[in-house]
């Protein structure tokens, strides 16, 4: 059942722990059930894998750059952008995602999702390509299905860009980090999120066919039948909005002295 709400009643806020349960409920009712990689990795039918990814999202949210969409009249969370700051130093060592995969994933399904994220990060080295040391990445973007079509995902991405700009200029300072993002990136794996990136003007960087990623492929020697679970949806697209200039420029490359990208 779809609901109609007024745009003025949707407020984008920095994540607070008091909204943790509602934020995770958005994942349970939307992202885990409908996102292509989650379906392909059987997260949608593996409760423990969902618990693993909820832990990932809780840790990421507590880092201070996750945003939530709140329906003010009812104090209900309708959407979430789980954002994370990634730095050059983290890339040179084991990344946060690699560490989480090795130490906190307890199922093949959650490990598969982390493997996908790690592999996709490796497809494009943004730090080297753009000579930057810090990137704000929109890790997971999700809204409640009943509130689709109200521009909630668009608002979350727009405000994620604003947050990145405020961090870059020092207008907003994180207690836990002095990192200032020079780029904001996103990996959009569904046509819905891809349209959000296109609408806002993110610069397209790379298209990766989901057929590259296989989960639980095996050969049954008894029947010589090959069974493979593929990520369902044709392509994942990487987009980037650039934060080099006095303001982020949608879909444009800003000239700088070195090199000038989810």
């Amino acid at each position: 059942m779809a609901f109609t709400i007024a745009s003025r009643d949707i407020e984008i806020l920095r994540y607070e722990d008091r909204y943790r349960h509602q934020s995770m409920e958005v994942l349970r009712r939307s992202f885990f059930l409908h996102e292509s990689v989650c379906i392909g990795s059987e997260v949608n039918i593996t409760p423990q894998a969902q618990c693993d990814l909820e832990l990932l999202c809780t840790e990421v949210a507590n880092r201070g750059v996750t945003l939530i969409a709140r329906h003010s009249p009812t104090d209900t969370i309708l959407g979430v952008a789980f954002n994370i700051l990634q730095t050059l130093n983290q890339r040179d060592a084991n990344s946060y995602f690699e560490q989480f995969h090795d130490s906190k994933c307890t199922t093949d399904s959650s490990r598969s999702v982390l493997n996908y994220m790690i592999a996709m990060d490796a497809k494009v080295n943004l730090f080297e390509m753009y000579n930057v040391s810090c990137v704000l990445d929109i890790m997971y973007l999700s809204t409640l299905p009943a509130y689709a079509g109200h521009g909630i995902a668009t608002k979350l991405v727009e405000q994620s860009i604003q947050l990145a700009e405020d961090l870059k200029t020092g207008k907003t300072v994180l207690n836990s980090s002095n990192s200032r993002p020079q780029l904001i990136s996103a990996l959009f794996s569904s046509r819905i999120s891809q349209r959000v990136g296109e609408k806002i003007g993110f610069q397209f960087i790379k298209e990766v066919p989901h057929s590259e990623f296989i989960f639980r492929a095996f050969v049954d020697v008894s029947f010589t039948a090959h069974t493979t679970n593929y990520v369902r949806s044709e392509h994942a697209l990487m987009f980037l909005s650039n934060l080099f200039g006095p303001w982020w420029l949608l879909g444009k490359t800003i000239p700088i002295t070195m090199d000038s990208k989810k």
Side-chain angles (χ1 to χ4, degrees), residues 3-237:
F3 295 92
T4 300
I5 53 176
S7 179
R8 65 178 179 274
D9 291 334
I10 301 173
E11 182 181 16
I12 306 300
L13 306 171
R14 298 268 294 277
Y15 171 88
E16 299 176 26
D17 191 60
R18 65 192 175 107
Y19 291 116
R20 183 182 64 82
H21 176 76
Q22 287 197 60
S23 299
M24 297 305 145
E25 191 64 16
V26 173
L27 293 178
R28 297 180 196 120
R29 292 166 59 184
S30 179
F31 193 82
F32 294 155
L33 298 182
H34 304 299
E35 195 274 333
S36 299
V37 180
C38 286
I39 294 172
S41 299
E42 298 185 352
V43 170
N44 58 321
I45 58 172
T46 311
Q48 183 55 47
Q50 297 179 21
C51 291
D52 291 349
L53 296 179
E54 284 181 28
L55 176 59
L56 170 71
C57 290
T58 299
E59 290 187 0
V60 166
N62 287 334
R63 294 184 174 205
V65 291
T66 286
L67 298 181
I68 54 179
R70 172 179 171 267
H71 184 235
S72 301
T74 61
D75 197 32
T76 301
I77 303 306
L78 307 181
V80 186
F82 286 98
N83 301 329
I84 184 169
L85 288 172
Q86 302 203 63
T87 65
L88 180 59
N89 290 338
Q90 291 172 336
R91 185 180 179 94
D92 289 341
N94 282 346
S95 72
Y96 168 69
F97 297 138
E98 290 172 318
Q99 295 174 31
F100 191 94
H101 172 281
D102 294 343
S103 63
K104 297 181 181 179
C105 285
T106 63
T107 69
D108 290 341
S109 292
S110 57
R111 280 188 286 269
S112 175
V113 172
L114 268 292
N115 282 335
Y116 175 89
M117 295 166 65
I118 294 164
M120 292 298 287
D121 275 352
K123 293 285 184 183
V124 177
N125 187 333
L126 297 177
F127 302 101
E128 182 178 285
M129 184 180 295
Y130 296 100
N131 194 35
V132 298
S133 59
C134 183
V135 175
L136 188 146
D137 183 61
I138 302 175
M139 185 183 79
Y140 292 161
L141 177 67
S142 183
T143 61
L144 289 175
Y147 295 92
H150 289 86
I152 295 171
T154 299
K155 291 176 184 291
L156 284 165
V157 174
E158 288 173 338
Q159 289 304 306
S160 294
I161 294 171
Q162 180 64 61
L163 175 58
E165 174 66 18
D166 290 345
L167 289 168
K168 182 174 76 78
T169 60
K171 182 178 179 179
T172 297
V173 178
L174 299 177
N175 294 331
S176 59
S177 172
N178 292 321
S179 298
R180 295 188 177 188
Q182 295 145 295
L183 298 175
I184 180 167
S185 67
L187 170 63
F188 293 137
S189 59
S190 75
R191 277 305 300 153
I192 295 174
S193 58
Q194 289 162 11
R195 282 194 293 268
V196 170
E198 292 163 356
K199 174 182 177 181
I200 292 176
F202 271 52
Q203 178 184 344
F204 169 75
I205 291 297
K206 191 174 183 65
E207 182 176 12
V208 180
H210 276 156
S211 58
E212 287 189 16
F213 301 93
I214 300 172
F215 176 63
R216 285 187 179 163
F218 65 91
V219 176
D220 186 335
V221 294
S222 301
F223 301 97
T224 63
H226 187 87
T227 303
T228 305
N229 288 340
Y230 288 99
V231 171
R232 300 172 195 175
S233 184
E234 293 184 358
H235 301 285
L237 302 178

Side-chain angles (χ1 to χ4, degrees), residues 230-258:
Y230 288 99
V231 171
R232 300 172 195 175
S233 184
E234 293 184 358
H235 301 285
L237 302 178
M238 289 182 172
F239 290 86
L240 165 119
S241 178
N242 200 317
L243 292 171
F244 276 116
W247 185 246
W248 59 283
L249 299 184
L250 295 179
K252 298 181 181 179
T253 300
I254 303 171
I256 58 171
T257 55
M258 294 176 242

